[in-house]
Structure formats: structure tokens, C-alpha cells
Amino acid sequence: MSTKELFKDLRNSDLSERMPVVFVGHGNPMNAITDNEYRKVWYELGSRLVRPSAVLCVSAHWLTDGTYVTVSDKPQTIHDFYGFPDELFKVNYPVSGARNYAEETISNVTTTKILKDSEYGLDHGAWSVLMNMYPDADIPVYQMSIDITKSAEYHFNLAKELSFLRNRGVIVIGSGNVVHNLRMVKWRGEAQPYDWALEFDEIVKKSIENDNPSTLTEYEKLGEIGNAAHPTNDHFLPLFYTLGLRKKSDKYKFFNDKIDMGSISMRSVIFY
């Protein structure tokens, strides 16, 4: 299926009142700049969606004690990795910040205190995807951190308090991976997925299809397969910021639903 066919039913008229919510599997940072199928789909998605007023990104790469939002007017491009080619370190994504929406986020969330951060910029969980969705860097972007001390259910419930953003022209994007085990990555050749990676990816798929988020908020109960899919849960938690914002009336569509390098699921989903 071509990328245009994949998103052919996403029309601006469908999204005029409520913005979509997207979870993106970002995977290897090199996906941002190499010729690959994931990058092509990100570009097509951005070109098909109604133009947002701003983007809120919840990335697996900003982990904090407490919850923060960025309020900088010109967020820097953070190269939060090592061992990659110089070309990747030269990437600059010069978007504007979205201070007004950040302030609204702080004032609308009441169950926990949201703190301001004026120094953090955009990490690669954000810019690697957004530079391909919106290559002109003309959409303001701000990030919300992940309080790593909290449970998946906490993040799912916190996301519900962000629902007003969908009616304010803001696209909320969670950026992580539904399976993420760097210890087991196969770096060479056409790596066959591990059985446990395929199984956990299918569990995520079925949970979304059945609108049964408790299967995922309680993923630790899955035992060994959950531990294999997520030795740490940093890349899994961004998914709950999209599941929590899902409405009963939303349609959904999966994309980039493949396992990369044996142990990284690129499965992504849009609710619209």
C-alpha cells in the first residue's frame, strides 16, 4: 500500500472541530535523515492532516521527576545520542515554541502540578519525526516531560486532562515505541523479529482495536513478555498520552506497523 493510499481518508473536513492524536514509533535516530519507509509515511501524514496551530509532543527522551512543559520561544535542537554520523548531529529544526499553549496546559491540569522549563529544547524523539511531518518548521512546538516515577495508569489519566487541546487546534503526538529492547537489537541485515516482540506488538494492536487500555496500563501482569518488550518503560509511556486522549467516536488507523532490527516495533496509530 502506498503512503497516499494509507491516509487517503484523512481530509481536513473530517478534522475541522477536533484535532487528531498520534502515537509515532520513532525508532533509530537515523530514520530522520535516511531514505526509509517510516520517514516517507511521516511526511505523507503531515501533508494530509489539517494544519495545526501547534504541536505538543510527549517524547520518550525527556524523563523527569515531576512533570514539566517547555516555555522557550526558540527551542534548541537537542542531539541526545552518540555514536551516529556527523550528518545527524548537524540537524537543526528551527521551530518556534508555543508558550501560550504551554501556559494553558499548566492552568488546565489540576490533578498534578505542571512546572515550566525554559531551557529544554526538542529532543530527537520530537524533531526526528516533526522535521519530516512539517519540514518547513512553521508549526510551533512544545514538549511535556514524562514523570518516570509514575505508573502507566497515571500517565493515561493525566492525558485525559489535555483533551481541551484537541479543540484548540493542537495535535498531541506521543513519540516512543510499543516494543523497545535495545539490548536485543540486531544491527545487521534483514533482522527477523523475535517471537516475543511480535506477540507484544499484537497485544498492543488488539488492545487498541478493542478499546481496552487496561491491558496495557497493567502490562506488567503479562510477565516475561512485558519485561522483554520493555526492560524499561520510557518508550512505552508516550503511548498512554494518545490512548488517554482517545474519544469513543474516534476512528483509528495503524501505520508503520513493522518490527525493526528485531526488537523495535515501529507500530504507530492515529485517532481522528
Side-chain angles (χ1 to χ4, degrees):
M1 179 184 295
S2 71
T3 55
K4 290 185 178 180
E5 291 174 329
L6 180 64
F7 297 123
K8 65 182 179 181
D9 64 338
L10 294 182
R11 295 289 185 268
N12 287 2
S13 59
D14 299 328
L15 306 171
S16 58
E17 295 183 1
R18 186 170 68 212
M19 298 301 284
V21 183
V22 187
F23 174 78
V24 178
H26 64 254
N28 188 335
M30 290 299 291
N31 289 330
I33 60 173
T34 55
D35 183 16
N36 62 82
E37 58 187 304
Y38 312 121
R39 182 186 183 192
K40 292 175 182 176
V41 172
W42 297 339
Y43 177 83
E44 186 64 28
L45 176 63
S47 68
R48 291 274 172 165
L49 292 177
V50 62
R51 180 181 172 86
S53 301
V55 172
L56 168 59
C57 185
V58 182
S59 164
H61 295 279
W62 192 17
L63 308 176
T64 53
D65 184 352
T67 303
Y68 295 78
V69 293
T70 55
V71 294
S72 55
D73 293 324
K74 291 291 182 181
Q76 63 177 320
T77 302
I78 303 172
H79 302 94
D80 51 336
F81 41 70
Y82 59 90
F84 289 94
D86 288 345
E87 182 183 5
L88 194 61
F89 288 91
K90 293 178 181 177
V91 170
N92 181 44
Y93 188 55
V95 292
S96 298
R99 181 188 293 266
N100 54 332
Y101 291 106
E103 297 280 2
E104 283 192 54
T105 300
I106 291 170
S107 62
N108 276 272
V109 173
T110 59
T111 61
T112 191
K113 184 175 179 61
I114 307 295
L115 303 171
K116 298 179 183 181
D117 188 293
S118 59
E119 296 182 2
Y120 197 80
L122 298 181
D123 60 52
H124 81 268
W127 61 255
S128 65
V129 175
L130 294 176
M131 66 179 284
N132 290 291
M133 285 184 66
Y134 303 113
D136 294 332
D138 56 352
I139 307 294
V141 180
Y142 71 114
Q143 283 196 225
M144 174 180 279
S145 73
I146 293 174
D147 186 343
I148 200 62
T149 70
K150 303 298 187 182
S151 67
E153 185 175 12
Y154 169 89
H155 295 288
F156 177 77
N157 290 327
L158 176 56
K160 293 180 180 297
E161 294 190 78
L162 305 176
S163 62
F164 75 96
L165 291 170
R166 295 190 65 179
N167 298 316
R168 293 278 289 113
V170 178
I171 290 181
V172 178
I173 297 178
S175 180
N177 293 98
V178 302
V179 175
H180 187 263
N181 188 330
L182 291 182
R183 303 169 191 172
M184 301 295 287
V185 160
K186 301 175 182 179
W187 290 100
R188 297 181 179 179
E190 293 292 327
Q192 291 298 312
Y194 294 99
D195 289 343
W196 50 262
L198 290 169
E199 185 177 351
F200 193 87
D201 181 73
E202 183 66 16
I203 289 171
V204 172
K205 177 176 180 287
K206 291 298 184 184
S207 174
I208 291 172
E209 289 175 340
N210 296 329
D211 195 9
N212 181 24
S214 63
T215 300
L216 303 183
T217 57
E218 300 174 356
Y219 78 97
E220 295 94 341
K221 293 181 179 179
L222 297 173
E224 291 185 6
I225 187 174
N227 291 332
H230 293 285
T232 60
N233 65 0
D234 47 345
H235 276 68
F236 198 38
L237 293 178
L239 175 63
F240 296 101
Y241 284 86
T242 52
L243 297 181
L245 284 168
R246 181 181 188 176
K247 303 294 185 184
K248 289 293 184 183
S249 58
D250 279 342
K251 302 175 185 178
Y252 67 89
K253 186 180 292 292
F254 294 114
F255 58 99
N256 286 347
D257 50 348
K258 293 185 177 181
I259 305 290
D260 196 22
M261 299 187 291
S263 62
I264 306 293
S265 173
M266 297 296 289
R267 179 178 297 280
S268 306
V269 63
I270 180 170
F271 299 110
Y272 61 101

